[in-house]
């Protein structure tokens, strides 16, 4: 450990007597350093503060009792177990152990005094506790119970509460010896404004609150920790942003003539929102600092053409553009749009497809390396080692929420050449509520395309019970007869992907049987990427009328002829997710419909949730509601991608503090820059990673 290292960074491994197995298990819980233990908060508490007379305990009680051993023996009847009877004069209690050692038995001598905590139940001989927590105590201690509630920590297999309690206890002792570990970085005024306790007080309280502490005090203590955690995240992202701002980037400009020529060639006029966002981008890329801009726009708002404009600016400034889509199918779709829009202006557009091998691939790679290919479309494979750009000036990432923050950062590094960093444009259809944007995306500037192209009418959404399935099927038949296409979405059943896929297979078979004249296609998560894309392509080309799909339907796929979508069991999905799904329809002229077919009965809250979708098609309103109802993880798929992971902070509870988090971060950077590194290493798993770039 270096001298400058904060004391809490000491490894748990440096504590005496912690074995390799225990360390491994702690590691599974993300506990490596002493301070990780301090922030590993109890999931709940047990009240072991008062002794209950044995005669008074009832079945189902969790109770702390004390008594002397009357008899202990191994009983072979039924499942072999060690049974021990204790008494405190008010009654007798049987302790039963299915796992035990000979040593344990030999210590349970008649007369030995035990203190036990466990759940009482009716056993074979009378009231018993199975595997209670117990300890031998000597006569002197009799009668005195714990002073504080006993913490029960989130744990993992093989790691006992006793070990965790003792480790946390040792970590707290170290804090007594060294004030530095829980050093207070927050200004006193802030603590009083927010009415939250100092760090050291909060940590101690949470690991062993006195019975009378009350929920309110515990909540405030948690908020205290959450505040600091959010602060650390904010600091790490703003430092990173600062760092990026210092890097040089190529200046990209699009001349008036070419810009006009490009816009005039489009079969439509840009919306005011698209124009505004183009100006915001132009301002960014016209300077020698790398742009980091997130463009949010509801599905169908026309983000691609905005990206194409930016691409043209890069190309006009002698730079290349990399455009990354989350799937091959989308990359191909963008390739077609870009070719159509940019080739007439003399730009060579390339598509680096996964399926291209051998000579074709080598040729593409060469044209990229030599700078002949100006705009290059592809999936994340674009950033493999073998892909070398001659002069990359702009990176566009479509549907960013599919990529983690780290992938995003890696791209920047990858793009850096000759000391110049490419500009970055990130596009997403998932509306990110302001509160969340402040954290996970705090390194990005945000533009919003808050307007749909004219003539799009919102998707008409109806909520109906599955008892009307026949009717829905009949409607599909009419729909297809009129030459339109239909999506049928099967949703997650019992949280099992396999079952979801099976349900989709069964539904596809049933619909094929019921709708003889309709050509049915099926895509689900267990199919190979190639197979999925082939079916999607057939749907796109119109040779499939009805596409039965699980929720894997690719984001952003544009099939304007599909005007009806049926979503089964929508009550299982988040609102934002349903909104995304239904954005697949309503991309062409004419009315479009979404049928939310739920499994009755529907709870009152589910009714309200689905009602929101019927009433509004504003992605932001829906996302805000979803955030309130489900939390940020669900909304952004964060849990899967590992974008923002908090140990303690909880958006529902702590979201309201974000403005103060932001201003505190600014104040600390200005007046106490020395606080930054200790705070980052205290809270972030990868410590000072962002701070050191
Ligand atoms: P998204 O924002 O979901 O990525 P796209 O860029 O795929 O949306 O655009 C959806 C469709 O709308 C495309 O067919 C596109 O050509 C078309 N489009 C884009 N902008 C306009 C506009 N201003 N007027 C009419 N149609 C537009
Ligand atoms: Mg798109």
């Amino acid at each position: 450990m270096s001298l400058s290292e904060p004391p809490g960074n000491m490894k748990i491994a440096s504590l005496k007597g912690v074995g390799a197995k225990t360390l491994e298990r702690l590691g599974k819980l993300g506990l490596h350093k002493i301070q990780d233990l301090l922030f590993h908060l109890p999931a709940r508490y047990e009240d072991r503060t008062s002794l209950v007379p044995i005669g008074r305990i009832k079945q189902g009680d969790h109770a702390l009792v004390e008594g002397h051993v009357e008899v202990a023996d191994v009983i072979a009847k039924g499942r072999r177990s060690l049974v021990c009877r204790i008494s405190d004069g008010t009654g007798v209690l049987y302790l039963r152990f299915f796992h035990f050692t000979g040593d344990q038995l030999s210590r349970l001598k008649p007369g030995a005094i035990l203190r036990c905590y466990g759940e009482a139940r009716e056993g074979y001989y009378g009231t018993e506790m199975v595997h209670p927590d117990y300890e031998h105590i000597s006569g002197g201690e009799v009668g005195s119970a714990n002073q504080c509630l006993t913490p029960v920590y989130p744990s993992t297999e093989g790691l006992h509460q006793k070990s965790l309690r003792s480790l946390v206890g040792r970590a707290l002792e170290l804090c007594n010896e060294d004030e530095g570990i829980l050093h207070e970085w927050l200004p006193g005024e802030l603590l009083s404004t927010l009415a939250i306790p100092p760090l050291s007080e909060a940590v101690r309280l949470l690991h062993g609150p006195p019975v009378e502490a009350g929920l309110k005090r515990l909540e405030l203590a948690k908020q205290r920790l959450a505040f600091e955690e959010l602060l650390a995240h904010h600091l790490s992202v703003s430092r990173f942003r600062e760092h990026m701002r210092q890097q040089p980037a190529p200046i990209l400009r699009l001349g008036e003539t070419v810009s006009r020529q490009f816009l005039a060639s489009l079969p439509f006029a840009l919306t005011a929102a698209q124009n505004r966002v183009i100006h915001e981008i132009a301002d960014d890329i016209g300077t020698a600092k790398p742009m980091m801009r997130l463009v949010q726009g509801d599905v169908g708002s026309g983000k691609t053409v905005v990206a194409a404009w930016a691409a043209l600016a890069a190309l006009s400034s002698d730079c290349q553009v990399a455009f990354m889509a989350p799937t091959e199918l989308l990359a191909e779709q963008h390739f077609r749009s870009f070719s159509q829009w940019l080739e007439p202006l003399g730009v060579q557009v390339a598509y680096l497809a996964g399926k291209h091998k051998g000579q074709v691939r080598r040729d593409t790679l060469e044209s990229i390396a030599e700078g002949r290919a100006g705009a290059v479309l592809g999936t994340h494979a674009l950033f493999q080692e073998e892909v070398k750009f001659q002069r990359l000036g702009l990176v566009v990432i479509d549907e960013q929420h599919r990529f983690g923050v780290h992938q995003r950062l890696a791209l920047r590094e990858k793009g850096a050449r000759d000391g110049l960093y490419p500009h970055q444009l990130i596009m997403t259809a998932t509306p990110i509520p302001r509160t969340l944007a402040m954290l996970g995306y705090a390194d990005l500037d945000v533009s919003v395309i808050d307007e749909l192209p004219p003539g799009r009418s919102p998707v008409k959404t109806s909520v109906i019970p599955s008892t009307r399935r026949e009717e829905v099927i009949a409607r599909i038949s009419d729909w297809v007869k009129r030459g339109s296409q239909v999506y049928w979405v099967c949703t997650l059943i019992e949280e099992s992907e396999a079952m979801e896929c099976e349900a989709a297979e069964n539904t596809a078979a049933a619909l094929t049987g019921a709708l003889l004249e309709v050509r049915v296609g099926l895509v689900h998560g267990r199919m190979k990427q190639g197979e999925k894309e082939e079916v999607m392509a057939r749907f796109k080309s119109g040779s499939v009328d009805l596409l039965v799909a699980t929720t894997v339907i690719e984001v952003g796929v544009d099939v304007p002829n599909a005007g009806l979508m049926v979503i089964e069991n929508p009550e299982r999905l988040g609102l934002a997710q349903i909104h995304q799904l239904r954005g697949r329809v309503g991309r062409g002229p004419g009315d479009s419909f979404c049928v939310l077919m739920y499994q009755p009965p529907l709870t009152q809250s589910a009714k309200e949730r689905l009602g929101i979708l019927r009433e509004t098609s504003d992605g932001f309103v829906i996302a805000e509601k979803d955030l309130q109802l489900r939390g940020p993880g669900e909304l952004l798929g964060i849990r899967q991608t590992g974008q923002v992971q908090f140990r303690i902070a909880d958006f529902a509870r702590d979201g309201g503090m974000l403005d103060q988090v932001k201003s505190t971060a600014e104040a600390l950077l200005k007046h106490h820059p020395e606080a930054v590194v200790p705070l980052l290493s205290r809270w972030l798993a990868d410590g000072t990673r962002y701070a050191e770039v």
Side-chain angles (χ1 to χ4, degrees):
M1 188 170 89
S2 74
L3 270 182
S4 61
E5 190 141 28
N9 269 5
M10 220 170 89
K11 292 267 185 292
I12 299 173
S14 64
L15 293 175
K16 277 208 188 70
V18 186
K21 269 262 154 54
T22 305
L23 287 173
E24 188 190 316
R25 289 169 183 147
L26 290 169
K28 274 194 201 151
L29 296 172
L31 307 177
H32 306 283
K33 298 178 296 187
I34 298 292
Q35 51 199 357
D36 297 337
L37 285 170
L38 299 173
F39 301 133
H40 188 61
L41 297 189
R44 59 188 178 85
Y45 301 94
E46 287 169 356
D47 186 352
R48 305 187 184 185
T49 58
S50 52
L51 284 172
V52 180
I54 290 176
R56 286 235 307 270
I57 50 179
K58 299 181 300 293
Q59 246 191 91
D61 284 355
H62 285 84
L64 182 75
V65 298
E66 211 170 83
H68 63 267
V69 175
E70 293 189 336
V71 57
D73 210 352
V74 176
I75 309 289
K77 199 157 75 193
R79 194 171 153 204
R80 189 168 172 273
S81 59
L82 162 61
V83 176
C84 170
R85 186 173 76 215
I86 64 169
S87 156
D88 67 353
T90 69
V92 295
L93 175 70
Y94 294 85
L95 314 181
R96 189 185 286 274
F97 303 89
F98 295 107
H99 308 281
F100 56 91
T101 62
D103 177 55
Q104 195 178 356
L105 173 59
S106 67
R107 291 194 62 204
L108 294 172
K109 286 195 208 61
I113 300 175
L114 301 184
R115 184 179 292 165
C116 317
Y117 181 90
E119 182 182 355
R121 58 169 218 187
E122 213 35 51
Y124 182 75
Y125 301 105
T127 309
E128 71 174 24
M129 285 183 181
V130 177
H131 283 274
D133 259 8
Y134 76 96
E135 56 187 334
H136 287 265
I137 57 175
S138 55
E141 294 170 280
V142 176
S144 74
N146 287 350
Q147 300 297 308
C148 295
L149 295 179
T150 304
V152 180
Y153 294 101
S155 190
T156 182
E157 208 179 317
L159 186 60
H160 297 294
Q161 288 297 326
K162 265 192 192 149
S163 326
L164 271 169
R165 280 177 205 137
S166 125
L167 283 166
V168 172
R170 288 168 72 184
L172 287 169
E173 273 167 34
L174 285 176
C175 298
N176 290 338
E177 290 163 22
D178 184 346
E179 290 293 325
I181 300 178
L182 289 176
H183 183 86
E184 184 61 56
W185 290 108
L186 298 190
E189 316 92 79
L190 180 77
L191 300 184
S192 47
T193 314
L194 292 174
I196 50 177
L199 179 67
S200 144
E201 191 184 313
V203 167
R204 282 170 221 275
L205 181 79
L206 287 164
H207 287 293
V211 200
E212 69 281 0
L215 270 183
K216 174 96 178 104
R217 258 184 80 197
L218 289 176
E219 274 304 292
L220 286 175
K222 257 194 227 165
Q223 273 185 29
R224 167 62 179 82
L225 299 187
F227 187 93
E228 206 180 286
E229 182 176 32
L230 293 172
L231 179 68
H233 274 270
H234 199 282
L235 284 170
S236 100
V237 191
S238 28
R239 293 232 352 187
F240 181 73
R241 179 190 168 98
E242 259 327 292
H243 166 78
M244 284 313 294
R245 290 258 179 264
Q246 322 260 317
Q247 310 306 314
I251 294 177
L252 309 180
R253 291 216 177 93
L254 184 54
E256 199 53 39
T257 324
V258 184
S259 174
R260 230 179 281 133
Q261 198 185 343
F262 167 65
L263 296 177
S265 75
L266 298 174
F268 47 75
L270 293 186
T271 62
Q274 284 171 319
N275 269 316
R276 175 168 40 75
V277 172
I278 282 179
H279 276 113
E280 287 165 355
I281 294 171
D283 284 347
D284 283 358
I285 59 181
T287 70
K289 289 179 183 171
M291 166 174 73
M292 290 174 277
R293 187 166 285 280
L294 177 73
V295 172
Q296 290 181 18
D298 221 338
V299 278
S301 62
K303 295 183 289 291
T304 319
V305 69
V306 168
W309 188 94
L312 198 54
L315 295 158
S316 304
S317 311
D318 271 339
C319 282
Q320 288 169 293
V321 179
F323 188 121
M324 183 164 84
T327 65
E328 293 279 349
L329 188 74
L330 275 173
E332 201 172 324
Q333 182 178 299
H334 289 318
F335 171 61
R336 267 187 250 113
S337 308
F338 268 57
S339 304
Q340 197 186 331
W341 291 332
L342 301 183
E343 272 171 3
L345 299 167
V347 175
Q348 189 179 332
V349 183
Y351 172 37
L352 189 73
K355 63 182 177 216
H356 292 164
K357 301 268 175 327
Q359 194 55 41
V360 181
R361 188 175 181 80
R362 277 196 296 278
D363 287 348
T364 310
L365 287 173
E366 196 182 286
S367 73
I368 298 172
E370 290 174 359
R372 273 178 285 125
V376 187
L377 289 294
T379 62
H380 55 277
L382 273 187
F383 293 89
Q384 284 164 356
E385 207 42 56
E386 56 169 349
V387 188
K388 301 237 164 24
F389 287 85
Q390 200 216 18
R391 192 161 186 259
L392 187 59
L394 173 70
V395 174
V396 182
I397 306 176
D398 194 18
E399 307 296 353
Q400 116 101 23
H401 57 284
R402 292 284 194 92
F403 303 106
V405 165
H406 295 289
Q407 266 170 307
R408 188 148 69 68
L409 301 185
L411 291 189
R412 283 189 186 149
E413 302 300 324
K414 166 93 191 177
R417 281 220 41 209
D418 310 329
L420 286 185
Y421 279 72
H423 297 277
Q424 260 196 31
L425 182 64
I426 291 155
M427 306 194 296
T428 178
T430 310
I432 300 164
R434 192 189 65 92
T435 41
L436 199 53
M438 272 177 61
L439 275 179
Y441 299 85
D443 62 325
L444 301 169
D445 296 306
V446 179
S447 291
V448 184
I449 306 184
D450 49 5
E451 184 184 356
L452 291 181
R456 300 269 172 83
S457 46
V459 181
K460 295 198 173 68
T461 301
S462 53
V463 182
I464 68 164
S466 58
T467 44
R468 288 169 57 191
R469 198 184 180 91
E470 298 299 316
E471 242 174 84
V472 174
I473 293 176
R475 197 163 153 197
I476 291 176
S477 165
D478 292 345
W479 198 262
V480 171
K481 274 190 202 128
R482 278 187 272 132
S484 179
Q485 288 164 282
V486 183
Y487 291 99
W488 182 295
V489 184
C490 302
T491 58
L492 205 68
I493 292 170
E494 309 289 344
E495 315 228 347
S496 142
E497 197 197 8
M499 285 181 71
E500 187 183 49
C501 298
E502 195 183 315
E505 274 164 12
N506 294 341
T507 304
L511 290 172
T512 308
L515 297 163
L516 294 176
E517 73 289 11
V518 171
R519 293 163 299 174
V520 180
L522 169 69
V523 280
H524 63 60
R526 295 204 136 191
M527 286 162 64
K528 292 210 183 73
Q529 185 64 18
E531 287 175 290
K532 266 194 286 195
E533 290 187 3
E534 195 197 310
V535 179
M536 290 301 296
R538 282 202 286 138
F539 187 56
K540 214 176 148 137
S541 71
S543 58
V544 161
D545 303 307
L546 169 62
L547 184 70
V548 177
T550 54
T551 45
V552 302
I553 326 182
E554 304 302 346
V555 257
V557 168
D558 203 22
V559 184
N561 192 42
L564 171 64
M565 174 178 284
V566 179
I567 303 179
E568 272 197 275
N569 308 312
E571 66 273 19
R572 295 191 177 124
L573 303 180
L575 297 185
Q577 197 182 358
I578 299 176
H579 180 63
Q580 287 277 307
L581 284 170
R582 80 174 166 184
R584 308 297 109 225
V585 295
R587 301 193 144 218
D591 282 346
S592 54
F593 300 88
C594 176
V595 177
L596 301 177
M597 192 166 69
Y598 64 87
Q599 199 66 48
L602 208 51
T603 62
Q604 188 55 34
S605 73
K607 244 180 230 160
E608 279 168 31
R609 278 159 43 80
L610 296 181
I612 294 168
L613 288 166
R614 196 173 44 206
E615 277 145 34
T616 180
S617 51
D618 183 331
F620 278 85
V621 173
I622 292 167
E624 287 286 356
K625 298 255 189 214
D626 216 21
L627 183 65
Q628 283 164 17
L629 294 166
R630 289 162 58 104
E634 307 285 347
L635 187 60
L636 289 174
I638 285 171
R639 256 162 234 156
Q640 296 91 296
T641 59
Q643 287 203 348
V644 189
Q645 266 167 1
F646 298 116
R647 304 189 206 185
I648 295 167
D650 166 358
F651 269 85
R653 185 189 60 203
D654 309 316
M657 300 193 298
L658 281 169
D659 283 327
Q660 262 135 333
V661 167
K662 195 173 169 204
S663 53
T664 308
E666 282 159 12
L668 274 184
L669 285 169
K670 210 160 166 190
H671 305 298
H672 297 283
E674 76 282 4
V676 176
V677 171
L679 278 173
L680 298 192
S681 71
R682 189 182 269 174
W683 286 102
L684 304 186
D686 47 5
T688 52
R689 200 183 113 88
Y690 295 160
E692 281 162 0
V693 287

